[in-house]
Amino acid sequence: MQLEQKAVVAGVVRKITLFFLLLFNLSTIDFAQLLPGNETQVNFSGYFDSFNVSVIYPSISVTKKVSESTSLTARYLVDMITAASIKNGKSNSTSTNTSLSKVDAVTAASGQTGGGEEGRIESENILPKFDEVRHEFNLGIAQLIGGGIITFDGLYSTESDYTSATIIGNFTQYFAENNTSLQLGIVRSWDKVFPKTKDWKKNKNVTTINANFTQIISKDLILQLLSTYTDNSGLLSDNYKLVPITVNGKDSLFDPIHPDLRIRRAAALSLKYRLTEKSSLQLGYRYYWDSWDVRSNTYSANYQRYLSKHVILGIGFRNNVQTQAFFFKPNYSAPEKYMTTDIKLDSGFSNELQLELILRGGDRQNFLPFLKDERVQYIFDLNFYLRHTDSPYWFNNSNKLFATNFNIGIRYRY
Amino acid sequence: MRIRILLWLCTVSLLYGCATVKPWEKEGLADPIMIIDENPINTGIKEHFLDYREGAVGATGAESGGCGCG
């Protein structure tokens, strides 16, 4: 099966490459300087949800144009997570904490270890504190070549029970007086998973191919088509999200068992339209389907408007409806070949309200002195997210997740 | 798969012929409110948590990775 999938991936890569090379030869090169410019960006972001998960993730990113045709980017991000997954073991369910499998999570509970963010319930008398810290490093280079740009990024992430190394390559080609662009990208990740409650280390490999197309239709309308093909293999479950099963009248927690291969596909259409001189509307639709029978339709709309010359307000709405994975069940009466109670694999829907305020520096900012410098931009994001699943999560008997996500960012372009 | 690639080719070919906007007409398109992904770093941050709350990912233009939270 895996050989067949690899052959399919190789075939897709070959065909898309040929297609891209064909268009490259047909291109009319009138190339603008589209390299990322010098910029430093600092973001302070946070996430809080009704499952008692809190994440604070500050990041800093620096982009430097080192020549007319090359720019470099470095980024560092740190995730500080409270209510990490191992608290799952301190369940407030009716489990007797007896395991028939090799799972030891229930008795190995330790507030200072773990991984993952979702489905974690803090036990009583445990004060919020950072249980997990993840560091992410990213180095990238963008290079002009012919009528396009090649970018290459290397990313490394490490935490106490998970490491990931990722390389990302993209090639963007511009055509037709820069009215058309085609982007072909590949992402490859090598992840290692070693839960604190286990004595093994397993691999997860992800290969993603992206093909994106952007077209300027008129001076007021831009269209974008995006597509993604992802091959996931290896350990694809979160081994902190245990499965409760009653065997011989005794409640036990088992490891989740997911198929070790998942082919994920997504195609999206996005339109950006200028409504007036001071406002624009972006509409988006995405269809997603995968080999685990998850299907999803995602709709989004984002309205942006200048409140003044230097202030932009954005209001967005996003809706996602999905079906469940073929092996998902809210509860199991006996161990099965595949089993999971991972609630994000359940059917359901989510809604998100996005608010954004951008303050751009410039002259005539006497009332806000810190905005006098036109190279500075302040960004404030606030998102409200609600996810409703058709089944309640066994751990807290809730089928609703409320989350708030914020970001405060400063961009300095020079 | 061939049909999908053919559809892609047809779509791209059709849209390729839409290039009627001249460089001097693009001033408005350079406006921050008309750029589809004006701040890709911020977009990545926004997408990051959705990846681990929903069963669907991809085709957003944002790329992230490295977290085993899923």
Side-chain angles (χ1 to χ4, degrees):
Chain A
M1 183 65 179
Q2 286 197 0
L3 283 174
E4 284 177 18
Q5 294 293 353
K6 283 177 182 172
V8 170
V9 172
V12 171
V13 171
R14 203 162 45 240
K15 285 172 182 173
I16 291 177
T17 305
L18 282 171
F19 162 61
F20 201 73
L21 287 173
L22 176 68
L23 283 175
F24 182 83
N25 290 329
L26 293 172
S27 66
T28 56
I29 297 172
D30 177 13
F31 188 55
Q33 296 297 309
L34 295 164
L35 266 186
N38 293 338
E39 176 181 321
T40 297
Q41 186 171 165
V42 178
N43 285 288
F44 183 79
S45 310
Y47 169 90
F48 308 94
D49 73 24
S50 60
F51 282 23
N52 285 345
V53 176
S54 304
V55 188
I56 300 293
Y57 45 112
S59 67
I60 181 168
S61 166
V62 179
T63 301
K64 177 74 178 168
K65 204 169 173 179
V66 294
S67 75
E68 285 304 308
S69 60
T70 309
S71 71
L72 302 175
T73 297
R75 187 165 79 105
Y76 172 67
L77 178 146
V78 56
D79 275 347
M80 293 174 286
I81 307 165
T82 65
S85 57
I86 199 66
K87 288 175 182 173
N88 196 338
K90 294 184 176 180
S91 166
N92 56 4
S93 74
T94 56
S95 167
T96 58
N97 290 355
T98 303
S99 173
L100 295 183
S101 72
K102 295 179 180 177
V103 178
D104 193 36
V106 277
T107 54
S110 162
Q112 298 302 313
T113 57
E117 298 173 20
E118 185 176 277
R120 292 43 160 154
I121 304 301
E122 285 187 305
S123 301
E124 57 279 1
N125 302 324
I126 295 179
L127 295 173
K129 56 190 174 184
F130 294 123
D131 297 286
E132 179 78 82
V133 177
R134 182 176 75 93
H135 303 273
E136 184 182 303
F137 309 90
N138 187 357
L139 284 175
I141 182 169
Q143 176 72 46
L144 296 181
I145 180 168
I149 299 176
I150 284 184
T151 63
F152 183 80
D153 285 84
L155 186 150
Y156 182 73
S157 169
T158 179
E159 56 195 293
S160 65
D161 53 4
Y162 202 99
T163 62
S164 174
T166 302
I167 55 168
I168 304 168
N170 278 304
F171 179 47
T172 307
Q173 178 70 42
Y174 297 88
F175 308 95
E177 300 180 11
N178 294 333
N179 284 293
T180 306
S181 76
L182 264 172
Q183 184 182 68
L184 186 68
I186 186 161
V187 183
R188 181 74 164 91
S189 291
W190 295 267
D191 295 7
K192 293 195 182 300
V193 191
F194 35 95
K196 287 288 183 180
T197 52
K198 310 292 176 192
D199 55 5
W200 46 253
K201 182 185 279 191
K202 293 186 179 177
N203 295 326
K204 173 185 170 186
N205 297 313
V206 181
T207 304
T208 300
I209 297 167
N210 299 301
N212 302 329
F213 173 80
T214 306
Q215 176 67 49
I216 297 173
I217 304 288
S218 75
K219 61 183 180 180
D220 295 320
L221 180 63
I222 303 171
L223 175 145
Q224 193 170 48
L225 300 171
L226 306 107
S227 61
T228 302
Y229 177 94
T230 304
D231 178 315
N232 297 261
S233 62
L235 182 72
L236 303 181
S237 59
D238 178 345
N239 278 68
Y240 293 116
K241 294 178 179 172
L242 303 173
V243 179
I245 302 176
T246 303
V247 179
N248 298 327
K250 189 184 283 185
D251 291 339
S252 299
L253 292 170
F254 285 74
D255 273 342
I257 306 171
H258 292 191
D260 58 7
L261 181 69
R262 187 180 189 185
I263 303 297
R264 316 179 81 176
R265 306 172 186 88
L269 169 70
S270 184
L271 284 169
K272 187 111 182 185
Y273 182 64
R274 180 182 286 277
L275 296 170
T276 68
E277 194 177 329
K278 292 183 176 178
S279 63
S280 71
L281 180 67
Q282 183 167 332
L283 299 173
Y285 169 74
R286 179 186 71 179
Y287 182 66
Y288 168 91
W289 68 108
D290 70 26
S291 59
W292 290 1
D293 284 353
V294 177
R295 305 268 188 278
S296 143
N297 290 283
T298 308
Y299 305 89
S300 63
N302 190 281
Y303 173 77
Q304 281 187 301
R305 180 179 179 80
Y306 279 98
L307 296 181
S308 74
K309 184 180 175 186
H310 299 284
V311 180
I312 299 172
L313 174 70
I315 300 173
F317 181 75
R318 178 184 181 277
N319 168 260
N320 180 62
V321 182
Q322 73 173 55
T323 62
Q324 66 176 214
F326 72 89
F327 56 98
F328 173 87
K329 288 183 183 177
N331 46 63
Y332 291 79
S333 56
E336 298 184 13
K337 180 183 177 185
Y338 299 124
M339 51 187 187
T340 188
T341 55
D342 189 343
I343 204 72
K344 71 170 180 286
L345 295 175
D346 190 10
S347 53
F349 66 88
S350 66
N351 290 316
E352 186 183 25
L353 177 66
Q354 306 156 339
L355 303 172
E356 181 180 54
L357 190 67
I358 299 172
L359 305 180
R360 303 168 68 207
D363 55 1
R364 298 177 187 174
Q365 293 280 1
N366 295 330
F367 65 102
L368 293 173
F370 60 93
L371 277 175
K372 275 188 174 174
D373 191 337
E374 63 181 11
R375 296 169 296 185
V376 177
Q377 189 178 96
Y378 294 85
I379 303 155
F380 303 91
D381 288 308
L382 185 60
N383 297 343
F384 299 98
Y385 179 80
L386 165 66
R387 184 189 66 191
H388 182 282
T389 48
D390 289 346
S391 314
Y393 188 41
W394 68 269
F395 198 77
N396 60 354
N397 202 33
S398 173
N399 59 358
K400 284 189 176 67
L401 173 80
F402 296 98
T404 305
N405 198 34
F406 78 86
N407 176 53
I408 300 169
I410 302 174
R411 293 178 85 178
Y412 181 69
R413 288 184 273 198
Y414 49 97
Chain B
M1 187 56 72
R2 286 178 185 170
I3 291 172
R4 284 184 205 141
I5 291 173
L6 193 63
L7 280 173
W8 251 98
L9 274 169
C10 290
T11 308
V12 169
S13 302
L14 283 171
L15 293 169
Y16 189 67
C18 295
T20 56
V21 183
K22 299 299 178 189
W24 57 86
E25 297 176 311
K26 291 183 184 172
E27 186 184 359
L29 295 172
D31 191 322
I33 65 169
M34 279 304 289
I35 298 174
I36 283 187
D37 191 5
E38 203 268 333
N39 189 346
I41 291 172
N42 201 20
T43 305
I45 289 171
K46 286 178 182 175
E47 287 293 327
H48 185 72
F49 90 95
L50 289 173
D51 290 354
Y52 301 103
R53 299 292 171 273
E54 296 174 356
V57 296
T60 60
E63 283 153 354
S64 66
C67 179
C69 324

